[in-house]
Structure formats: C-alpha cells, structure tokens
Amino acid sequence: MNQTLTPLQFRVLVVLNMLGSSLIYTPSMLTSVSKQDAWIALLIGFLLGILPVFLYETLIGRLGNVSIIEYCSKHFGVWCGKLVAAVLLVYTLLISVLILKGVTDFLSTWILNRTPISYMLVLMLGASVMAVRVGIGNIARSGEVFLPWILVGLTIFYGLLLPDIKVDNLKPMLEGGIAQPFRGGLAFLSFPIFELMVLVLCTPYLKKTNRPTRIIFPAYLIASLYIFGIVMLNLLVAGPYITEVTSFSSYRLAQTIRIADIFQRLEVFIAGMWCITIFYKFTIYFFSSNVLIQELTGTKNTRSYLLPLAMILLPLTQMAVPNTVYGTYFSSEVAPGINMVIAFLLPLAVAIHQLFTKRKQV
Amino acid sequence: MISSIIGTLLATAVIVALEKRSLSGSRKKWITFGSLLIIGITLNILQASRLDIPSPLHVLEAVFKPVNSVLIPQEGE
C-alpha cells in the first residue's frame, strides 16, 4: 500500500473533488435559486468560499501528521474523539450515498436506460474497493494522469460551445436585487466547497516535508474557474430557464454541439469526464469512511472493512434516496445545514482550540 | 426475493473467505468486520424483501431541518 501524498497530488485530489458532480449539478442548482444571475451567485460563492478554504488550510498546516480525530481524543478525551469520528462517519456515508445516487440517476436516465441500478452500483463500488485497497497514494497518482486530460477535454468542450453564445440570456441583470444571487452563493458554498472537508481527513497521509502554506487555494482557483465556465456557458447557450428545468443541463448542452454536421454526439465525452471525476470524489469519501471506522474501533491499517462497507452502501443508496424528488429536496433543504455544521463549524471549533493552545504554550 | 437472499449470503461467504487471512489474530478486527457484515446482510435482505422501509435520511432531516432554517436564509425573508 502506498499511503503518502505529495502536495501536487493533494491539489489534484482537491480539483477532482470539486469538479466531481458539480460539473453537472451546479448550473441547475444555481439557476434554480438565482435565475439569470447564477454567474454572479458563483462569484459571490467563490469569494465567500475563500474563508472555509483558508480554514481547511490552517487546519492542515497546524495538524501536521495528526488526524483531526487523534487531535480531538488527545485534547478533549477519548470519547469526544470517538464522537467526532462517529459524526464524520455518518457524514461521509451520507455524501457517499448522495454521490452514488447522483451517478446512477444520471446513467439510468441518459446512457444505460435498461441496466438495473444495483448493477451500476456494484460496478462503481467494485472499482472503488479496488482503488482504496491499493492505497491513497496510488489513487492520487492515477488522478495525476487523468486530470490534464479532463481539463483539456473540458477546455475543448467550452471552446466548441462558444459560437452558440447569446449574450441577451444574461439580461436583465440583478433583477431581484442582490439577495437572489447571494442565496445562490450560499448554496455554492455548501456544495461543493464545504465538501472539501473530506480532504482534511486525508492530512495524515500528506508528506510532512516541503509542505506549502497555500496548499488548497491554487486547486480551488482552477476548479472554480472551470465551474464558472460551465455555469456561464449553460446560461449563455441554453438560457436560464432551460438550465433550471433540465436535470442534467451540462449533458443536454453537450448534445447541441455540431461541427459541420459531421462531428455530433460528443455528449458522451463529457459524461465520461464527469464519471471519472465523480469516481475520484466517491473513492476519497469511501477511503475516509474506512479510515474513520478504523479510528472509531481503534484498529489500524486494515483493508478488511472495505467489502462489508460496500455491501452496506449498495442497499443503503437505494433505500436512503428512494426517488429523485426526495433527493433534490434533501440536497437543497437539508444538506446545506448538515454541511454547515459538520464541515464548517466542527473544523472551526478545532481551529479555534488550536489557536488558543498555541498561544498558551508560547 | 429468495434468489436475492441466496446471493447476499453467497457474497458474504466470498467476503469472509477473502478476508479470513488478514483478520486472523485480532479479535477487535473480527468484531468490527462481523458487525459491519451483519449490518450489510440485514440491509440487503430488507431491500430484497421490497418492504416499504422509511429512508434513514429522515432521521438526519429531523435533526438538521431546523438547523438549516436558522443558518441559511430562506426565500421570502
């Protein structure tokens, strides 16, 4: 097992984690709240997001090679550490379930119409089990191979859509005042920025030497740029209304690409890129769930829990989100609160404690 | 339904056979592994039985819906 990450690999994981699922979901999520001002919402979300990113960076810098659970058990008692581990385990499992639900929804709607959902889940879980078994270092290294292709592919995809732009789609600007885009910005803050919390759980695997202070920020910038591109193109090409009512608007957008009536049906490429990024996102969550179970039970360095965990996730995904309506309701009405408490207030509390203990020692 | 249950049990047998060696010697690991496996089998059989089981997310919803309405400004406020 290769269990070390270089700073570059860590950044690759950040980009993949942010792009996964948000490429397809962010445009409709933002336009449903902010209509034609979705791009302003994204900018507000980006600016607000610098705060949690800064928080995660500080945590990663201060924790060193101690995991957040070990830190809590050391300073607040063993039971508090276990409680934090249990809460985070519920959180990682929840996000895993939502990711799996998203990918199976997408595949069964657009590509694999007649494949039973269980089979898609088995394939996805099987791939992730294999990936986590070989260690997080190898996951990140394969990510290093895929990421340039994904970014180049997305750039080509954006370039091909440029001729269809209609600037009138952005008007009227700020029709409902600044409050409307601001709420969209808060939605963007919850998903995908707060979901970067999972990478704080990967800190023990980050190499201790030559660790740069700004480790997440460059990756955050690149990923936000690409998400901004997809939101902007969705607005400019398809218009706010179609983006809002289509469940997978980016895929729908890719269907409109036609080059001289010869190159058509390029949409599967974006579906492929999306599936690759989402595989990495899910694998990181799966890896963290496994680590959290180990921390919770006090057993170290084992890969034996992966298969039972996959066996739990398989029915749990289908039970937890029985239909798309409930899934949409849950991710827009309940998930932001969960993200806020578990992925922001919890690390904030730890960071504040670190701040005060550091001062006491000096 | 019967075939799903048989499938679940077969999968369990395969998982136990695969992980038997890496678990030997540690009782704690066996207990964790066993309990995870039992949860997995239960959930799989419940799902195969096609009963109308309420979503486990309802628990989270009950806890975090109020939190959500306090922390995040809702429409019309």
Side-chain angles (χ1 to χ4, degrees), chain A residues 231-338:
Chain A
V231 170
M232 206 64 187
L233 283 169
N234 264 297
L235 282 176
L236 285 167
V237 177
Y241 178 69
I242 293 179
T243 308
E244 186 186 335
V245 297
T246 319
S247 47
F248 302 101
S249 55
S250 308
Y251 186 79
R252 177 75 194 72
L253 194 66
Q255 287 181 324
T256 60
I257 298 178
R258 267 162 201 238
I259 310 160
D261 281 338
I262 298 170
F263 292 106
Q264 293 179 16
R265 299 188 159 249
L266 296 174
E267 65 268 17
V268 171
F269 282 104
I270 189 161
M273 283 186 284
W274 186 60
C275 282
I276 290 170
T277 50
I278 213 162
F279 165 73
Y280 281 100
K281 184 166 183 171
F282 173 68
T283 306
I284 296 165
Y285 274 94
F286 196 55
F287 173 81
S288 312
S289 314
N290 182 33
V291 170
L292 286 169
I293 290 177
Q294 292 175 21
E295 303 249 18
L296 197 62
T297 56
T299 47
K300 289 272 169 187
N301 295 325
T302 172
R303 297 175 291 179
S304 318
Y305 305 150
L306 292 171
L307 284 168
L309 202 58
M311 205 170 153
I312 292 174
L313 280 174
L314 175 64
L316 196 63
T317 308
Q318 296 166 63
M319 273 180 184
V321 193
N323 50 52
T324 316
V325 178
Y326 185 69
T328 318
Y329 162 77
F330 189 85
S331 34
S332 65
E333 300 289 323
V334 188
I338 298 179

Side-chain angles (χ1 to χ4, degrees), chain B:
Chain B
M1 184 192 157
I2 298 294
S3 59
S4 308
I5 293 173
I6 294 172
T8 308
L9 295 177
L10 267 179
T12 317
V14 171
I15 291 173
V16 172
L18 277 175
E19 302 291 355
K20 210 163 60 184
R21 196 182 288 167
S22 65
L23 286 166
S24 60
S26 170
R27 205 164 146 222
K28 230 177 192 179
K29 278 185 189 175
W30 260 114
I31 294 171
T32 317
F33 177 77
S35 22
L36 284 173
L37 213 53
I38 287 168
I39 298 171
I41 296 168
T42 319
L43 284 174
N44 269 296
I45 292 178
L46 276 177
Q47 215 240 328
S49 65
R50 294 178 200 283
L51 293 173
D52 199 12
I53 304 151
S55 161
L57 298 190
H58 286 310
V59 181
L60 287 173
E61 199 186 315
V63 179
F64 282 100
K65 190 88 195 294
V67 179
N68 193 49
S69 57
V70 171
L71 291 177
I72 288 140
Q74 302 294 305
E75 199 156 358
E77 277 179 27

Side-chain angles (χ1 to χ4, degrees), chain A residues 54-112:
Chain A
F54 180 71
L55 170 71
Y56 298 149
E57 266 173 347
T58 328
L59 262 182
I60 289 171
R62 290 258 174 82
L63 282 172
N65 277 18
V66 178
S67 77
I68 192 165
I69 314 294
E70 282 164 3
Y71 184 87
C72 288
S73 342
K74 196 181 157 198
H75 291 271
F76 310 115
V78 179
W79 283 104
C80 182
K82 300 246 187 242
L83 184 71
V84 171
V87 168
L88 284 172
L89 180 63
V90 171
Y91 177 71
T92 49
L93 286 180
L94 166 76
I95 304 289
S96 306
V97 162
L98 292 180
I99 294 172
L100 284 176
K101 185 63 191 169
V103 76
T104 51
D105 260 358
F106 172 70
L107 288 176
S108 61
T109 314
W110 286 101
I111 301 172
L112 304 168

